[in-house]
Amino acid sequence: MKIGIIGLGKMGSALLRGIVNCGLCCPADIVASDPLLPERDSNPEYCGVRTCKDNSAAIKDADLVILAVKPQAFQSAAASMAHQVKDQLFVSIIAGLSIASLKKRLGPKARIIRVMPNTPVLIQQGVSALAWDSMVSESDLELVKNIFLQLGEVVKVEEKLMDGVTALSGSGPAYVYVLIEALADGGVLAGLPRDLAQQLAMLTVQGAAGMVELGKHPAELKDMVASPAGTTIAGLAALEANGFRSALIEAVRAAAQRAKELDDAY
Ligand SMILES: NC(=O)c1ccc[n+]([C@@H]2O[C@H](COP(=O)([O-])OP(=O)(O)OC[C@H]3O[C@@H](n4cnc5c(N)ncnc54)[C@H](OP(=O)(O)O)[C@@H]3O)[C@@H](O)[C@H]2O)c1
């Protein structure tokens, strides 16, 4: 199978590594295009694949095309390869853009699987949500699922849920980074050295996620740590007084709204 990757930024290059590592196809069968890339037949910086600036060269012989450009760049990327669109399977990780909007630029015959990964795919601990159009076959879906399984967990969703997925798991790592940073700031305020505070904050988030993974409801786990008149309930009361819960709910709502706006602009 031949693969073309359009846009070799953070996500495009993470996918490239996943594809090469799982042995799905060899580097000689992959061409990646990006305006910043040097023209190389075998680029050692990118797993030995061919890199170029010309999008149509990347999709010309491809069976599978991965679209990994920013939403604002899709229109020009699509225009530059329109004459090479045949019966390729397209995988789009572009935030916000619906399958209908992608088809407007790629043509009605394009088979499209829309995927929303998150940045922990860079360390094979991501989660990727897949939605697809009616022209996609079971084998297309299995193929793409197997690529993203190299980079973490995979869930299948209806396309109408994609804005919510984008806002929660796509954007979510950024919220957790702010959480870790703020916890560490609190630790420093309580007298801890910065390094120790950050390490404790990170390990606390990691450990707490592991406890949730065991299957108990987060509220039950929270109640288990909050003893009467103890330190944790004092901290929890301060969180409630400062709108911690509603800030997170509003963050997800705002991001979902923004994802919708990105598509409306098309
Ligand atoms: N990062 C995330 O957490 C995340 C999560 C889920 C989905 N996504 C989505 O994944 C996509 C890529 O995100 P990213 O974080 O990997 O962005 P990125 O690092 O900026 O990568 C995008 C790459 O595409 C290149 N590009 C721009 N215009 C192009 C064109 N016309 N043809 C070919 N390549 C072009 C860019 O080059 P220039 O630098 O020259 O513009 C850049 O190297 C976005 O749509 C984003 O919404 C990102």
Side-chain angles (χ1 to χ4, degrees):
M1 183 178 50
K2 297 203 181 293
I3 297 182
I5 303 179
I6 311 296
L8 209 52
K10 290 181 286 297
M11 289 308 221
S13 48
L15 284 171
L16 168 64
R17 280 194 298 278
I19 290 166
V20 171
N21 289 345
C22 77
L24 185 74
C25 72
C26 58
D29 288 329
I30 303 176
V31 183
S33 64
D34 188 303
L36 290 182
L37 290 176
E39 300 278 344
R40 297 256 174 86
D41 283 340
S42 169
N43 190 328
E45 266 185 67
Y46 293 102
C47 306
V49 306
R50 178 179 163 204
T51 58
C52 61
K53 297 180 194 305
D54 177 9
N55 290 333
S56 59
I59 84 158
K60 186 168 159 284
D61 298 318
D63 308 296
L64 171 70
V65 179
I66 295 175
L67 303 169
V69 298
K70 295 278 190 200
Q72 297 78 1
F74 172 63
Q75 201 164 330
S76 72
S80 67
M81 58 190 182
H83 60 291
Q84 295 287 3
V85 176
K86 297 178 295 247
D87 58 349
Q88 300 96 333
L89 171 64
F90 286 87
V91 172
S92 166
I93 64 161
I94 303 171
L97 297 200
S98 64
I99 290 171
S101 295
L102 294 162
K103 270 185 193 270
K104 254 193 245 167
R105 309 277 168 196
L106 296 171
K109 287 194 188 141
R111 282 141 57 225
I112 299 175
I113 300 183
R114 203 179 146 190
V115 182
M116 180 44 57
N118 62 6
T119 48
V121 295
L122 301 173
I123 55 163
Q124 292 80 50
Q125 288 180 35
V127 57
S128 303
L130 269 60
W132 58 96
D133 81 316
S134 55
M135 291 166 66
V136 165
S137 69
E138 272 302 314
S139 62
D140 291 337
L141 206 52
E142 267 312 286
L143 172 74
V144 173
K145 185 177 153 197
N146 282 332
I147 292 176
F148 284 89
L149 277 174
Q150 301 307 311
L151 305 173
E153 304 281 334
V154 169
V155 295
K156 294 181 185 172
V157 298
E158 284 180 65
E159 199 195 6
K160 66 180 182 192
L161 300 182
M162 270 300 197
D163 289 344
V165 167
T166 303
L168 177 50
S169 57
S171 304
Y175 316 149
V176 177
Y177 303 142
V178 173
L179 168 70
I180 291 173
E181 191 194 9
L183 282 175
D185 282 346
V188 172
L189 188 64
L192 302 181
R194 170 65 63 183
D195 287 359
L196 177 63
Q198 186 161 318
Q199 185 189 14
L200 292 178
M202 182 268 291
L203 291 172
T204 301
V205 169
Q206 212 171 35
M211 291 289 284
V212 176
E213 203 177 6
L214 293 178
K216 277 201 167 53
H217 191 285
E220 192 182 344
L221 291 166
K222 183 258 298 168
D223 288 353
M224 280 162 57
V225 233
S227 53
T231 57
T232 307
I233 195 67
L236 288 168
L239 284 184
E240 295 294 349
N242 287 282
F244 183 66
R245 255 176 221 272
S246 58
L248 287 173
I249 293 169
E250 286 305 319
V252 177
R253 187 178 21 206
Q257 177 59 32
R258 181 67 191 130
K260 186 175 174 310
E261 285 165 10
L262 287 172
D263 193 47
D264 290 345
Y266 270 76

